[in-house]
Amino acid sequence: MDTDVVPGRRRTWARRALGTLVTLALLALANVLATLLLDPYGSLSSVRWSEYRSMAGQDIDTIVVGSSVSERSLDLQVLDGTLGASSFSLSSSAQSLEDSYIGIEQAIRDHHVKRAILGVDYASFSEGSYPNARMAYLLARCEGQPLGYRARALWGLMSSHEFAGTSQSLNFLFPWTFNRVGMGPRAVSQNLRQRLGGTTQLEAVKQRDPNWHYQGKGYGNYDFVIDYTNAKELLFSSQYGRKPFRDDTLDALRRICDLCRSNGVELTVVVAPCPTFNVLCYGDYYSQQMPRAQKVVTDAGFRFLDFNLARGSAYVADESDFLDGEHLNANGAARFTKAFGELLARVETGQDVTSDFYSYDGWDEYLGSIDRLSAVTLDEEPGDGVVRVTATPYAGLGRKVEYQYYVGERGSNDTALVRDWSEDPTFDLPVTGHGEKVVYVRARLVGSTAEFDRRSNILVTY
């Protein structure tokens, strides 16, 4: 009897195995198709890594890494002209310090670089890494590489502390799940045409974002200028919160220092400038936490330069230099890079530039040096028959601010003055029933002769 049963069982197992293989093949085919259609053809990271690989055998002595503050702050043409360097940027949006390490390590291996510049800001140390950004960076790094290279890179990501044992460790295999074009037929069709029609990755990026201008060497930027009336939406304290630095980010910074020291690479960690209101919004957290990162770098024998605390002898930001609350625009990057390059050249010839910066220990001196109103924001709080609107100024220590309030209808340019200049930051809007009003504030430093220094508005719904 057994001889009649076993063959049947074997045939059933074989059919199941075949069905499983067919299902896996169909899923793999669906994944390939979804990737072709939905995964954006060309990214800023892929443009950089592609150009970087094209420079194999060419001289690169300086590597620039870091998140978007580094990506947008250092104009490499200006940097090379100022330092007499041959540089390349492998910076990327939301780049983790782990990926900054990878960028430096790659440049050491390929070009024996002797100088590394790591661009950071407060969030570089207070925030964890972003899985999607890490995977996008890794995918771009692996494009066109041998299977073994890709496998090692994938394993390194999957086994890292933030991915190991999580479903995100497998997302690398399905790039369209975390990085995709719009789901509309037009976006999908354009993406497929770009991928199959001979469009270069750089051309594809420019078609999707015509306002981005690529200058080469891994550097591209925008010409937009920040709108200070939107400062509330741009506050770091709102986006990231006031948080202490994470131990794992400081450990990653130590590993970068160890990598550079063991390979004879001179490391400079630079805090790129941001609008003053985004330093002030952290309060004392800024002066308490930044020294922790500074100590890691200086204990390793390297440089930590915070250009938010630069004195006028080193650098002065123009208010129109910023793209938004975090990044320099193209003009601002050119100005800042020249100042940074000149100062770095002085440092590398042995000059002491300590006096060119305010210190974290002398925080009040820095706050007292701020002689302008960087921004004003508005908040509302309902009360009995009124909505109280309160202005928050971002100004230097001891600076007095005065306010002028207007009220208007939503969608209308007509406004009525409801309170003239006063140092009282609050205004009570009388309300009855239900409706909407737009409350506007103008603010200026007491003694200013300007019509106003900054303004803001808030929609009050009651």
Side-chain angles (χ1 to χ4, degrees):
M1 295 177 65
D2 289 344
T3 57
D4 293 332
V5 174
V6 172
R9 289 179 177 176
R10 288 176 176 171
R11 287 193 295 272
T12 300
W13 179 89
R15 284 195 297 270
R16 288 176 178 173
L18 179 60
T20 300
L21 290 174
V22 170
T23 300
L24 290 175
L26 290 174
L27 288 175
L29 181 62
N31 183 43
V32 170
L33 181 61
T35 300
L36 285 172
L37 294 173
L38 300 178
D39 182 41
Y41 173 63
S43 66
L44 304 191
S45 286
S46 63
V47 167
R48 290 188 184 91
W49 278 105
S50 176
E51 184 180 357
Y52 173 82
R53 287 189 290 268
S54 74
M55 296 182 68
Q58 299 183 39
D59 179 40
I60 298 177
D61 57 37
T62 301
I63 191 67
V64 177
V65 293
S67 65
S68 57
V69 294
S70 175
E71 179 184 26
R72 306 271 173 77
S73 296
L74 293 171
D75 183 325
L76 271 64
Q77 300 290 348
V78 176
L79 185 69
D80 287 356
T82 307
L83 281 178
S86 176
S87 61
F88 198 91
S89 177
L90 287 174
S91 305
S92 62
S93 180
Q95 184 176 109
S96 67
L97 292 172
E98 288 87 352
D99 286 334
S100 296
Y101 179 103
I102 289 172
I104 296 173
E105 183 182 46
Q106 190 77 49
I108 291 172
R109 183 184 304 118
D110 296 338
H111 296 276
H112 308 291
V113 295
K114 294 302 179 184
R115 183 192 289 120
I117 299 170
L118 170 62
V120 298
D121 62 4
Y122 190 101
S124 300
F125 305 106
S126 66
E127 297 296 299
S129 62
Y130 297 89
N132 289 355
R134 290 215 65 189
M135 285 185 283
Y137 191 74
L138 178 61
L139 280 170
R141 177 185 168 215
C142 289
E143 284 179 5
Q145 298 299 312
L147 182 60
Y149 181 100
R150 296 167 66 90
R152 288 191 299 272
L154 173 59
W155 175 249
L157 184 69
M158 292 174 63
S159 60
S160 63
H161 69 276
E162 71 264 48
F163 285 92
T166 71
S167 60
Q168 291 173 330
S169 64
L170 298 176
N171 283 356
F172 179 86
L173 302 174
F174 309 96
W176 57 274
T177 62
F178 63 87
N179 185 31
R180 57 176 174 262
V181 298
M183 296 298 290
R186 183 175 181 180
V188 173
S189 175
Q190 181 189 39
N191 191 53
L192 187 61
R193 287 198 306 270
Q194 290 173 338
R195 189 182 297 277
L196 303 178
T199 304
T200 67
Q201 291 187 331
L202 178 57
E203 289 170 342
V205 173
K206 288 181 175 180
Q207 287 174 16
R208 284 197 304 272
D209 191 356
N211 295 306
W212 182 70
H213 308 295
Y214 188 63
Q215 298 184 22
K217 292 179 171 285
Y219 170 70
N221 213 331
Y222 298 85
D223 294 325
F224 299 121
V225 176
I226 183 175
D227 178 2
Y228 285 89
T229 63
N230 291 329
K232 185 176 180 179
E233 299 176 6
L234 303 174
L235 288 174
F236 289 166
S237 54
S238 299
Q239 297 179 54
Y240 306 119
R242 295 185 182 95
K243 295 181 288 190
F245 286 0
R246 295 166 56 107
D247 290 339
D248 59 342
T249 62
L250 295 175
D251 288 341
L253 181 61
R254 289 188 186 92
R255 289 193 293 274
I256 290 174
C257 291
D258 291 344
L259 172 69
C260 290
R261 185 171 56 241
S262 62
N263 287 277
V265 175
E266 279 298 317
L267 173 67
T268 299
V269 178
V270 55
V271 182
C274 64
T276 303
F277 66 77
N278 262 335
V279 176
L280 298 177
C281 76
Y282 282 117
D284 290 339
Y285 267 91
Y286 197 93
S287 61
Q288 293 167 358
Q289 294 300 312
M290 277 300 201
R292 298 179 64 194
Q294 182 187 48
K295 186 175 188 301
V296 170
V297 176
T298 55
D299 281 356
F302 297 123
R303 293 177 287 272
F304 187 94
L305 305 174
D306 188 341
F307 273 83
N308 286 313
L309 271 63
R311 296 179 185 268
S313 57
Y315 169 72
V316 178
D318 188 271
E319 293 182 338
S320 64
D321 283 349
F322 297 100
L323 166 69
D324 52 30
E326 191 169 8
H327 307 103
L328 291 163
N329 55 32
N331 183 64
R335 291 186 65 254
F336 167 66
T337 304
K338 187 173 188 301
F340 166 70
E342 290 173 347
L343 185 134
L344 187 57
R346 288 167 51 202
V347 171
E348 292 182 344
T349 59
Q351 294 187 37
D352 183 2
V353 297
T354 304
S355 61
D356 287 297
F357 295 86
Y358 295 99
S359 70
Y360 298 118
D361 290 337
W363 188 241
D364 283 352
E365 183 187 6
Y366 161 71
L367 295 178
S369 73
I370 302 170
D371 59 359
R372 63 191 180 281
L373 177 63
S374 178
V376 61
T377 62
L378 290 175
D379 293 283
E380 61 172 311
E381 182 180 7
D384 186 13
V386 300
V387 174
R388 171 157 288 189
V389 178
T390 302
T392 300
Y394 293 87
L397 185 65
R399 306 289 177 179
K400 294 183 177 181
V401 181
E402 58 183 1
Y403 311 90
Q404 185 184 53
Y405 277 95
Y406 292 78
V407 172
E409 301 293 335
R410 184 177 188 179
S412 172
N413 293 325
D414 295 330
T415 60
L417 176 66
V418 292
R419 203 194 71 194
D420 213 346
W421 293 105
S422 166
E423 292 183 37
D424 182 0
T426 64
F427 166 70
D428 289 337
L429 174 69
V431 297
T432 57
H434 300 281
E436 291 180 333
K437 295 287 184 182
V438 182
V439 178
Y440 302 82
V441 69
R442 290 178 168 186
R444 66 187 180 190
L445 295 179
V446 172
S448 172
T449 58
E451 184 179 2
F452 61 89
D453 294 335
R454 287 284 182 257
R455 60 184 175 183
S456 185
N457 64 76
I458 189 171
L459 176 65
V460 175
T461 302
Y462 52 90

